[in-house]
Amino acid sequence: MTTKTHATAAASGANATERFRENKHIAAGTSQERVGTLAGRVIKAINETVLEEKVTYDEYNALKAWLIRVGEDGEWPLFLDVWVEHSVEEVANANRHGSKGTIEGPYYIPDAPSQNSPATLPMREDEPGTPLLFQGQVRNTAGEPLPGALIELWHADGLGFYSQFAPGLPEWNLRGSITAGDQGKFQINTIQPAPYQIPTDGACGALIAAAGWHAWRPAHLHLKVSAPGHQLITTQLYFEGDEHVADDIASAVKPELVLAPTERSGGKGREVTYDFILDPEE
Ligand code: DHB
Ligand code: FE
């Protein structure tokens, strides 16, 4: 294991916990009745598992030790975003007619540097990876262009690491907030990200190893796309041919979200077009 991989796994989880505390506001006012219903169902499901599977004291104590470690490693955001968020997203976006959403994951940071389209994401001079031109148009569900739409794009580098979470990467590397042009059209130059392995040396990695699962997510672009009067969509885009598209540890791939880039005409690298359709505000 390289020094960088080692440092990343240890640091990314703790950083994700810090960021969550800074960015998210816990909705106040969830009713007592609702808390009782939800907490009651989760506790019941655990008890049913214990009874049906005849869980031993050794197993119960292993669970206790592991739960303590998840917190110590700062990996609750990782755990929840890999194994639970996909269902929350399914519920949240069930009534949309526009583009498909998927999970946000733990590595979004608001207010990345702004640029107008055409744009190039901030990257190192020698940023490893195949250049990728990502372009398209943002429209409403009636097919009308949405000028001035905002495309927030963030993704891992060519080794699968996210800036501001893994050490040694410049701030805002491969993160940007891009304003589309008159016709809602955008062109963004970046590099193709690598598949992402969730940190293997923390509590989540220990679970994956103990259960004999794999730790991979397919390579992906993360996006938040918005326009005045329309619902923001949080989504991800994947790449055809990636073996983990069919086998994502986070269960976040949908067929509509798989891109098929082609060789870039008259340039280096690859290009792909993807249009976003935004639902009107409710
Ligand atoms: C996790 C990481 C991601 O990059 C992502 O998109 C979803 C989940 C995680 O480690 O939990
Ligand atoms: Fe991700």
Side-chain angles (χ1 to χ4, degrees), residues 75 77-83 85 103-107 154 156 162 196-199 204 217 220 222 236 238 250 252:
E75 288 198 345
L78 271 63
F79 174 82
L80 291 165
D81 294 351
V82 164
W83 283 295
E85 190 188 352
I103 67 170
E104 175 175 319
Y107 299 140
W154 74 101
Y162 285 87
Y196 166 86
Q197 189 178 26
I198 77 165
C204 291
R217 299 214 57 224
H220 54 279
H222 285 274
Q236 299 185 20
Y238 307 92

Side-chain angles (χ1 to χ4, degrees), residues 5-218:
T5 309
H6 191 80
T8 295
S12 291
N15 287 348
T17 294
E18 295 260 301
R19 284 287 170 184
F20 178 80
R21 288 200 173 120
E22 283 166 23
N23 295 342
K24 299 281 174 182
H25 306 279
I26 310 302
T30 303
S31 72
Q32 198 174 50
E33 189 188 357
R34 183 81 172 148
V35 173
T37 302
L38 299 182
R41 283 199 63 171
V42 171
I43 291 167
K44 184 161 175 258
I46 294 171
N47 280 283
E48 281 169 1
T49 306
V50 169
L51 295 174
E52 285 167 21
E53 295 292 336
K54 301 193 184 352
V55 169
T56 65
Y57 262 100
D58 279 349
E59 289 166 340
Y60 175 64
N61 287 328
L63 171 66
K64 238 190 219 181
W66 181 79
L67 289 170
I68 292 166
R69 185 170 169 205
V70 178
E72 284 170 352
D73 291 349
E75 288 198 345
W76 279 115
L78 271 63
F79 174 82
L80 291 165
D81 294 351
V82 164
W83 283 295
V84 181
E85 190 188 352
H86 65 94
S87 296
V88 180
E89 188 277 331
E90 186 179 325
V91 172
N93 290 334
N95 296 327
R96 291 201 192 217
H97 300 286
S99 299
K100 293 283 179 199
T102 191
I103 67 170
E104 175 175 319
Y107 299 140
Y108 172 65
I109 301 185
D111 304 319
S114 298
Q115 302 182 54
N116 290 323
S117 174
T120 298
L121 287 193
M123 65 177 84
R124 294 163 287 183
E125 292 233 321
D126 55 349
E127 189 67 47
T130 306
L132 177 70
L133 170 62
F134 175 63
Q135 58 190 350
Q137 186 183 32
V138 186
R139 298 189 298 270
N140 63 18
T141 45
E144 295 156 344
L146 295 174
L150 184 69
I151 296 118
E152 293 178 84
L153 174 60
W154 74 101
H155 64 82
D157 68 9
L159 295 171
F161 296 121
Y162 285 87
S163 62
Q164 271 109 307
F165 291 89
L169 293 168
E171 195 176 30
W172 304 116
N173 205 57
L174 303 174
R175 296 174 182 273
S177 304
I178 292 95
T179 303
D182 291 347
Q183 290 299 307
K185 292 199 171 164
F186 62 87
Q187 284 200 316
I188 306 170
N189 289 286
T190 185
I191 57 107
Q192 191 154 333
Y196 166 86
Q197 189 178 26
I198 77 165
T200 49
D201 61 356
C204 291
L207 170 62
I208 288 166
W213 300 335
H214 73 73
W216 292 95
R217 299 214 57 224

